[in-house]
Amino acid sequence: MNIVVQKFGGTSVRNLECQRQVMQKVLRPYREGNKVIVVLSAMSGETNRLLALADEWSDTPDAAEVDSMVSTGEQVSCALFAMLLKQQGVKARSVLGFQAPIQTDCAHGKARIVSIDETKLVDMLKEYDILVVAGFQGCGDDMRITTLGRGGSDTSAVALAAAIDADVCEIYTDVPGVFTTDPNMCSDARKMDRVAYDEMLEMASMGAKVLQIRSVEFAKKYNVTVHVRSTFTDELGTIVTKEDETMEAVLVSGIAYDKDQAQITLVHVQDKPGVSAQIFSPLAEEQVLVDMIVQSPSKDGKTDMTFTIPRADMKQTIKTLEKLQYEIGFEELNSNPNVSKVSIIGVGMRNHSGVAARAFQALADENVNILMISTSEIKVTCLIDDKYTELAVRTLHKAFHLEDGEPL
Ligand code: ASP
Ligand code: MG
């Protein structure tokens, strides 16, 4: 039996008209003789609505009850969609997380999938031609409903595709695919035909919202090819897959940015063992995600320590560090909430030199000052004044000829 896995997001299932359009997409592989597993999100806005209710009811909503409630969004869209299919005479049914079963750990609100026993699904597919599975939800080993974190239906779909060893997991959404950069920021942004898992992970971690990060990690781990495409057109989207030679030939595949950053500098920190731990351990305890860190060369036993954090955590970070001023022994704390990160991303960087220099030159030509730099194998990130974000994104997009996708 050949099984096709398709996932549709919230905007794709938001009302009857859209669900009818979704049905056409689902019926196609079915009519070609395949069995279909359709994973659905809640109707757009529904998850937010439900979460707001929990906040209205309680200052500290119980996480297990929140999951029990917020998972109903997916339950509703699945049941409604199964009704549409049955009306067409298709043998279909809705399947909830615990019925699949999608087994997770018990971390409510951010549960991780532990296993999917595909034998139940395969059994159900003997009786039914289309299974409509609720995304986002799973079941802990205490038999309570869990959810996988915002955007988690993507992960449900990829995990199901991995479990049944499907050739591809199709993720239908309200955009045509993954773009070389944010089209709202750069009109030359181009839909990519293919992108490597690692590139997609970097883009998602910089805030590209098209796929949940965890779904990409899952796809990479189990080698599931993901096809991100539009519900509302027939054109091909973007294939997220493992790296190959053609991808390596391209130096830079995409430009990502994150505008919600802040920079903190501790001036004249004593340069002695243990100081970094003293600074960053209390921040880690408060779950502040520290990203770029630069320590300047020490002079007279003192050094400056500069790092970036999410802007929303700036006040808390300053408060925490000021309390420890005497212990850490810094002279001054400077903060700058008006910074953003701009990154060039590409697996081709692994085997090519001069990529970073080319990016720096392009920014220099536009007079954009770089405040900090960090690099990894497939990414170069520059911290800049946030008022230049758009200019920097466009400049880098152009410098690497991303508008036509030809290797440089
Ligand atoms: N409904 C959930 C959310 O809005 C899960 C999803 O749509 O993927 O985050
Ligand atoms: Mg989504």
Side-chain angles (χ1 to χ4, degrees):
M1 129 175 45
N2 193 46
I3 310 169
V4 172
V5 178
Q6 299 181 322
K7 180 255 168 182
F8 295 86
T11 33
S12 307
V13 296
R14 67 182 183 275
N15 55 34
L16 178 57
E17 198 193 326
C18 289
Q19 288 205 8
R20 284 198 177 122
Q21 247 173 302
V22 167
M23 189 162 66
Q24 295 315 315
K25 296 274 191 229
V26 174
L27 289 178
R28 200 172 299 165
Y30 160 79
R31 289 193 178 121
E32 286 163 2
N34 302 289
K35 301 276 183 173
V36 188
I37 293 183
V38 190
V39 180
L40 299 184
S41 284
M43 295 177 175
S44 54
E46 180 63 2
T47 307
N48 288 344
R49 186 186 75 84
L50 292 168
L51 289 171
L53 284 180
D55 284 335
E56 196 182 316
W57 254 246
S58 164
D59 293 335
T60 51
D62 180 84
E65 301 306 345
V66 171
D67 274 357
S68 181
M69 175 202 55
V70 77
S71 58
T72 59
E74 273 69 14
Q75 182 163 343
V76 170
S77 37
C78 282
L80 288 172
F81 190 68
M83 285 179 208
L84 286 186
L85 289 171
K86 285 183 186 172
Q87 203 168 280
Q88 297 292 314
V90 180
K91 280 194 256 165
R93 64 161 283 185
S94 62
V95 180
L96 301 179
F98 79 91
Q99 294 166 329
I102 298 175
Q103 205 68 46
T104 69
D105 61 19
C106 295
H108 288 284
K110 49 176 187 299
R112 279 183 181 273
I113 296 176
V114 179
S115 67
I116 296 176
D117 176 5
E118 79 287 358
T119 51
K120 292 243 172 65
L121 286 167
V122 172
D123 273 351
M124 280 191 253
L125 282 171
K126 286 180 190 143
E127 195 176 337
Y128 298 93
D129 291 325
I130 301 182
L131 298 179
V132 189
V133 181
F136 185 48
Q137 52 173 262
C139 179
D141 54 16
D142 55 0
M143 290 303 287
R144 298 209 66 176
I145 296 172
T146 54
T147 62
L148 308 179
R150 297 308 303 267
S153 301
D154 294 338
T155 304
S156 311
V158 173
L160 287 163
I164 58 154
D165 211 7
D167 293 338
V168 43
C169 176
E170 293 191 311
I171 305 253
Y172 285 91
T173 177
D174 50 4
V175 292
V178 182
F179 282 74
T180 47
T181 192
D182 180 356
N184 298 316
M185 198 156 278
C186 174
S187 55
D188 285 340
R190 182 180 45 83
K191 188 186 75 190
M192 292 188 254
D193 294 332
R194 288 149 62 77
V195 61
Y197 294 125
D198 286 331
E199 292 172 332
M200 193 64 231
L201 280 172
E202 294 288 5
M203 291 193 198
S205 70
M206 290 284 286
K209 296 228 163 44
V210 53
L211 286 177
Q212 195 199 33
I213 295 182
R214 229 181 243 181
S215 72
V216 186
E217 288 167 353
F218 221 101
K220 181 182 171 189
K221 186 165 172 197
Y222 295 99
N223 205 7
V224 178
T225 299
V226 177
H227 186 177
V228 182
R229 58 192 305 188
S230 166
T231 306
F232 306 106
T233 67
D234 276 336
E235 63 178 306
L236 296 176
T238 303
I239 303 280
V240 188
T241 184
K242 64 171 184 279
E243 226 171 291
D244 63 26
E245 277 156 22
T246 59
M247 292 172 176
E248 282 161 16
V250 180
L251 299 187
V252 169
S253 310
I255 314 291
Y257 66 90
D258 182 346
K259 286 183 89 164
D260 296 318
Q261 294 287 304
Q263 183 187 29
I264 306 275
T265 302
L266 300 180
V267 181
H268 288 172
V269 182
Q270 291 188 56
D271 193 9
K272 58 171 195 200
V275 166
S276 300
Q278 265 180 324
I279 296 171
F280 296 113
S281 304
L283 300 182
E285 265 161 43
E286 282 167 13
Q287 320 261 335
V288 176
L289 284 178
V290 176
D291 184 28
M292 305 164 97
I293 303 178
V294 171
Q295 183 183 342
S296 60
S298 89
K299 214 177 145 208
D300 305 328
K302 306 255 180 188
T303 176
D304 294 342
M305 191 76 92
T306 305
F307 57 93
T308 62
I309 50 171
R311 193 172 297 160
D313 293 332
M314 193 174 91
K315 280 206 183 110
Q316 183 59 39
T317 301
I318 294 175
K319 213 164 121 193
T320 305
L321 291 174
E322 279 177 343
K323 266 197 247 152
L324 296 168
Q325 178 162 14
Y326 181 73
E327 265 178 87
I328 300 170
F330 59 88
E331 276 166 30
E332 212 178 291
L333 185 157
N334 296 329
S335 58
N336 181 358
N338 301 314
V339 292
S340 69
K341 286 189 298 194
V342 179
S343 303
I344 53 174
I345 295 163
V347 292
M349 274 182 225
R350 283 201 186 111
N351 308 319
H352 294 89
S353 56
V355 180
R358 189 184 185 115
F360 302 153
Q361 188 59 52
L363 293 176
D365 291 345
E366 292 296 333
N367 245 330
V368 177
N369 189 33
I370 302 172
L371 306 171
M372 287 171 90
I373 298 167
S374 74
T375 61
S376 78
E377 251 196 325
I378 65 161
K379 181 168 84 162
V380 178
T381 302
C382 297
L383 192 76
I384 59 169
D385 186 326
D386 70 352
K387 66 172 183 272
Y388 298 124
T389 312
E390 192 162 333
L391 174 64
V393 167
R394 289 207 196 131
T395 301
L396 293 171
H397 199 267
K398 204 156 167 199
F400 291 97
H401 299 198
L402 296 188
E403 68 284 353
D404 58 19
E406 298 298 324
L408 286 179

